[in-house]
Every structure is written in C-alpha cells, then in structure tokens.
Amino acid sequence: MAAHIGRRLRKGAATTAVAAAAVAALSASQAPGATVDDQGRQSTGDATSAPDTAADDSATGNSPYYTDLPPLNSPNPSPSAGSGDAGDQRAGEAGIPATVLDAYKQAEATLREKKPGCNLPWQLLAAIGKVESGQARGGRVTADGTTVTPILGPQLDGNGFALIRDTDNGAYDGNRMYDQAVGPMQFIPSTWDWAGRDGNGDGRKDPNNIYDAALAAGHYLCRFDWDLSQQGDLRKAILSYNNSTDYLNTVLSWLEFYRRGTHEIPDGTGALPVDRSDDTARPGVTPSAPGATPPARPGKPSGSRPSPSPAAPGNGGSPSAPPVTPPPATPPTPTDTVHHLEDAGTGTLTAMAGHTFAERVSTRAETEAGKAVAKVRIRFTLVGDTDTTFTGGETVATVTTDASGVAVAPALQAGERTGAFAVQAAVVGRSVKGVPYRATVTERAADALALAGEKEPTCVAGGEFAEPVQVKATYRGEAAGKVAVTATLVTSADDPAENDKGPYFKDADGKAVRSLTGLRTDADGQLTLPKLYADDTAGTFLLRLTTAGGATLDVKLTVEPAAAPSPEPDPSTDPAPSTDPSTQPSTDPSETPAA
C-alpha cells in the first residue's frame, strides 16, 4: 500500500523514534497546522485532553482499531497515479465503496435535519469507518448495506483489552461470556442497545448494517450537543468513541484526507486493512482482524493438535498425558461487587414543558456492606409515556460511577408531553435491584402578560375593531413560547362570568362567541387574537386573558355609540309656493332689463 511506512501507531510503538518520525511526516503533509510532540502524538493549537472516562464508556469499549494511515498521494485517482496492480491498490485504498459512501452521506443528511447544530460531516463517519473496520472490510456488503459476514472485534475479556462481561446474552456478538465490538462501526452491545438506529428503513436496528451503524455513529457523536465544526468539540467527540490519543490522531488524519477529496469505488473492491492497534503480540493471545479466523500461535500449524509426550520411563512405553494447568482465576470486577443501588440525593424532578430539568438523577453503587463502588456502568432509562430525553436527544444514557460510587445522569430535557414518567437506574452487566425516579413535566406557563400596542381597542356599536388585540407572555422575564391562553369577555372586573352583550368573536360558522380556548403564544411569546366585533350596545367592556402559571391581563374595550343619522326634511313644515302673479318672474321680452 502507498505510504506504508509509519502506519503502525499501535500502543507502545508510538513512543519509538520511527513512529514519531512517521507521524511527523504525515502531519507535515496532510494536517496543516498540526504539530507532533516527542512521543509521536499529533496536536493542534486548541488541543483538548482526553475525557476522564473508563474504557467501557466509549462506543467501542476501546476495542482495537486499524492504524493504517492515508496514502501521501492525492486522494483523487489520476492517470499518473500508477498502473497495474500498484495503481489499482492505491485507488482502492483512497476510494470508498459505493454503498458505504452512500450510507455516510445519508447519515449526514439525516443529522443535518435532526441535529443541525452538530454540523456532522460525512467525512468524519468515513474516517471512523476506515479506522474501525476498513470501510466494512473493503465494502463487503449486500445491496441493503448488511455486511456479507458479521464483523466482530476480539472479546473484551480484560486480557490486554477492557473487561466487559456479556450484556446482551450473545444477541449481537454471539458471546455469552464477554462483549465484543460489532459491525462496521464497532459498537459494543450495551452501547448499541440505546444508540442503535434504523438507517435503511427496514424496521430493524442491525449493527452489521452500514446504514444503521453509520446513522447510530452520527447520533452518538452528536449526543452532547457538540458542534463538530469546532475543533475542541470535534476532538471530544472522537475521543468519546475510542478514548485513545493515537486513535484520535489516526481518525483526524483520515478526516483531513477525505475532506481533500475522495471517490466512489465498487462494493467489495476496497483495500483490506492491515495494521491493528493490538498487533503487537500479547502473552498468550494472538490478535486477529475482526471477522477473521484467529491464526495459530507461533510454532504450531493451524488446526494442529498437541504432539503426544514421549514415553515416560517405567510406564511400559505408554505416552503420559500432558499436565493440565488450570486457567488463572479471573479477579472480580467492580461490577461483580455491586450489591445494590441507592439514590445519591436526587431532588424533585419537575420541569416545565420545553425546559431543562434543574435537577439531575444521581445514583450510588454500593457493596452489601454499603461501601461505594467506583468504575461501574450505570444505565439510566426513561420509562413511560413521555417525549422527554436526555441532553442530546437520547432516551438511554450510560454513566460510569466516580470514586465515590456516584453516577450522575445527563440533564433531562422536557418535551411537550405533560405528566409523570420514570427514570430507571440499573447496573450494566449485573442483575441487581435498580432505583426508579419519578419525574413530572408540567404545562408551559407564563407569569406575566402585556398588551403589545399602546392604544386600547375601540370601535363603534355594530361595527368591528380595526386592529386585533396583540399580547406578549413572559416567564421570569423571558419570552414564554407555546403557552396556552384563554380569552373571555367578562361581565366586569369583579364578575368573571361571560358577558352576554358587547364585543364578541366569531366561530367557524360565523356565530358570536365570547370565550376562546386553545390559543397559544408563538415561539417568541406573542399572541394575536382573532378579530373582535361589536353588537349595538355601547359602553366599556373587559377582555380577560389568562394563562397556565397564573398570568392575567384585562384589556379594556370601548364601544362608542353609533352616529345619529341626519333627519329627513318634513314636507308639512315647508312654506307653500306663492300664487301672486306679481311675484312670478316676467316672461314678456319687452320687460327684459337693458344691459
């Protein structure tokens, strides 16, 4: 492959001079503005340190990843790029299989609509997909995006990896003892359980489907309202996927490479990844690529059986059985020691619709003796008829307990559905009694209403008010949007009964009504009432507006008397026309006055 030198950024090797030089060369050629420290780690001016999280807090459980780096030549193929096998290999390495590329771009489009503030680029999904599985093993996927064979990482048994005991009863990874990262984006089962998405619309959430996995990865990266166009948030999001500085640098290298351009290649023709972060032999463990059959240990052919021991003296030449060494006992994990969960001082969980809960759920993991247990994953799940979510839009969140045994859930964001629901806290990977928390979402409210215009509405009897009544609702000084408002024409300030005369609204059939419900302010707290009409009764009337939360406003409406019509002349009072000939004008031409 092109630029093969320096592709191994595996753990331990990154401290060597060779690795440092390799990363420096890559940084100089492909990551403008980046620098490399004396340990071969890439950094930028606004570098963000890795979050203080446990290994199994990440999407992948910090599973191994591929450390192949981008080729140093242009990502776009050209006739001069080479010919024959070498040129085809470079083109396959730089390109992205068609279905896989389509899945990344569809996920970006969905997230642009669902979480526009995240600014997720598809190239980031491509970079992570490259590092996690080599773009679904070179695009070995079916027409609907499902991998031809499942892609599985090694079991997370604590032997060189994180220790994560089975959380899915083998449903996703086929392993009932330990978890394994699954699919082209390498989700561990406990994360997929809440982060999984149906990206291809088939009604299933399959971690081995690139459309499902890419969309899930996008939601995962956007779950904390990070803005991925900001370098600091981008680095935090990548580190939350796999908490490793080398992983961060490798993903950033591919992200920069794909941003400079790439191209589509046929499914199944992508270059297979070669180098993995765990390809340094560990005692008693031989690494393997996800989905591949582990090779035999050095010195033993694949599938061979142990050779019989030579005959022991004095046993008649019969071969003796090799001594059996019992496997070492696995020490208990923190999760194994949890006996129960306790509430860690959570206050009342109440919030107005559309607002953030001021209180956060806090749970403490304890042993049977009541001692705190750190580094235990606690899963918080929203239960009930609610559209409330955790910050980031998820209904499930997993948090690791701190040194005091406490896990604090992300803040709750109330939806529009009012009423009670529950937040259930449980230990991931262990069946112990959980802790339910009751939460309530109340109706949107306003504590003040004000008339938008300066003039009080006025019209004449039998007419209509020229301008509609406009008001603004606020809550604690801020605009109160989507608040329900009731408008009633009351009898008087002291009598809230509906008036039976004076101004009125009209219903859909044009009939007079003097009370309206179901009105709501807009997002800015503004409300424009329907047109008001007046009957023949003149006087001063009151329109009372009320909201949830107790805000009340009385608007004075003035109806002036209609102008009196001009009287018609009375013929009986007009003087009779004169019949005296002397008063009549002369018709004799000779009597016409001289000029």
Side-chain angles (χ1 to χ4, degrees):
M1 291 183 182
H4 185 72
I5 297 176
R7 293 222 179 153
R8 299 174 184 264
L9 295 179
R10 58 186 177 273
K11 299 170 185 175
T15 59
T16 67
V18 174
V23 177
L26 176 68
S27 301
S29 64
Q30 300 185 174
T35 60
V36 178
D37 64 17
D38 58 359
Q39 301 300 314
R41 292 187 293 265
Q42 198 174 45
S43 62
T44 62
D46 59 349
T48 303
S49 60
D52 183 17
T53 58
D56 51 0
D57 266 347
S58 66
T60 67
N62 292 344
S63 294
Y65 53 90
Y66 289 104
T67 60
D68 303 46
L69 292 177
L72 297 179
N73 58 293
S74 170
N76 294 309
S78 64
S80 60
S83 60
D85 293 341
D88 293 342
Q89 188 179 47
R90 282 194 295 271
E93 185 176 5
I96 300 178
T99 299
V100 178
L101 179 60
D102 183 60
Y104 296 149
K105 291 185 176 181
Q106 281 200 29
E108 179 199 54
T110 300
L111 269 296
R112 189 185 305 121
E113 176 185 353
K114 299 292 185 182
K115 298 184 179 180
C118 182
N119 293 308
L120 172 80
W122 67 260
Q123 292 91 341
L124 176 59
L125 297 176
I128 291 176
K130 180 69 175 181
V131 173
E132 292 296 345
S133 67
Q135 310 298 20
R137 305 292 291 160
R140 273 69 173 176
V141 296
T142 59
D144 70 347
T146 303
T147 57
V148 175
T149 57
I151 298 177
L152 296 174
Q155 66 180 16
L156 301 174
D157 57 5
N159 191 2
F161 309 120
L163 175 57
I164 305 181
R165 299 190 186 278
D166 176 55
T167 60
D168 65 331
N169 199 30
Y172 295 120
D173 53 15
N175 189 334
R176 297 188 179 184
M177 292 188 64
Y178 302 98
D179 273 351
Q180 295 175 248
V182 183
M185 303 304 277
Q186 288 290 277
F187 280 96
I188 54 174
S190 59
T191 301
W192 181 262
D193 189 52
W194 63 264
R197 293 292 191 279
D198 176 15
N200 64 348
D202 64 356
R204 300 175 61 237
K205 299 176 183 178
D206 182 2
N208 277 297
N209 182 279
I210 186 59
Y211 287 98
D212 296 358
L215 184 58
H219 275 279
Y220 185 90
L221 294 166
C222 293
R223 71 195 186 283
F224 289 135
D225 289 337
W226 284 322
D227 180 357
L228 302 187
S229 66
Q230 301 297 317
Q231 187 70 8
D233 284 357
L234 173 65
R235 294 170 68 88
K236 290 176 185 177
I238 296 172
L239 286 168
S240 78
Y241 208 90
N242 192 313
N243 191 12
S244 159
T245 302
D246 289 338
Y247 178 88
L248 168 68
N249 294 335
T250 308
V251 170
L252 288 175
S253 297
W254 280 106
L255 172 59
E256 176 67 17
F257 181 76
Y258 288 137
R259 276 176 166 165
R260 287 163 47 207
T262 186
H263 59 282
E264 178 183 302
I265 59 175
D267 289 345
T269 64
L272 293 175
V274 175
D275 302 322
R276 248 183 27 169
S277 59
D278 66 332
D279 61 1
T280 301
R282 295 180 288 117
V285 176
T286 301
S288 62
T293 302
R297 294 184 180 179
K300 292 183 181 180
S302 177
S304 64
R305 299 177 179 230
S307 302
S309 302
N315 64 358
S318 300
S320 61
V324 177
T325 302
T330 303
T333 67
T335 301
D336 295 331
T337 66
V338 177
H339 177 266
H340 60 272
L341 296 178
E342 292 286 346
D343 175 31
T346 305
T348 303
L349 297 170
T350 302
M352 189 189 304
H355 289 240
T356 301
F357 281 71
E359 190 74 17
R360 294 168 65 176
V361 178
S362 183
T363 300
R364 187 170 188 260
E366 297 182 354
T367 64
E368 187 173 8
K371 293 184 178 180
V373 185
K375 297 183 179 180
V376 174
R377 289 178 299 149
I378 306 298
R379 178 182 293 134
F380 298 96
T381 305
L382 304 188
V383 180
D385 184 17
T386 182
D387 56 354
T388 294
T389 65
F390 291 110
T391 301
E394 306 296 344
T395 58
V396 179
T398 302
V399 181
T400 300
T401 57
D402 59 16
S404 62
V406 174
V408 180
L412 288 166
Q413 179 65 41
E416 296 301 324
R417 197 170 300 163
T418 59
F421 64 96
V423 182
Q424 182 71 38
V427 179
V428 176
R430 185 168 175 80
S431 296
V432 299
K433 185 178 180 180
V435 180
Y437 297 84
R438 179 183 173 86
T440 305
V441 177
T442 61
E443 187 177 2
R444 286 179 179 264
D447 54 16
L449 280 171
L451 190 65
E454 296 181 357
K455 296 181 179 180
E456 293 180 343
T458 303
C459 80
V460 298
E464 60 184 49
F465 289 80
E467 298 294 334
V469 175
Q470 293 182 317
V471 296
K472 182 170 183 177
T474 56
Y475 182 76
R476 297 180 179 176
E478 300 292 332
K482 301 181 181 179
V483 173
V485 179
T486 298
T488 304
L489 290 148
V490 298
T491 302
S492 69
D494 299 324
D495 186 357
E498 184 178 302
N499 207 336
D500 59 357
K501 59 181 178 295
Y504 61 91
F505 300 103
K506 287 183 179 180
D507 63 13
D509 297 326
K511 296 179 180 179
V513 293
R514 290 186 167 86
S515 183
L516 295 178
T517 59
L519 303 172
R520 284 193 180 273
T521 60
D522 62 17
D524 297 323
Q526 302 278 356
L527 172 64
T528 300
L529 273 66
K531 182 181 286 292
L532 275 164
Y533 303 85
D535 61 14
D536 295 335
T537 307
T540 300
F541 302 88
L542 285 183
L543 170 64
R544 178 162 295 173
L545 304 173
T546 58
T547 72
T552 301
L553 175 66
D554 284 345
V555 180
K556 186 169 72 172
L557 305 176
T558 302
V559 179
E560 298 175 345
S566 300
E568 294 291 334
D570 186 355
S572 64
T573 61
D574 289 343
S578 176
T579 57
D580 186 352
S582 64
T583 62
Q584 301 300 314
S586 175
T587 58
D588 187 349
S590 64
E591 296 181 4
T592 302

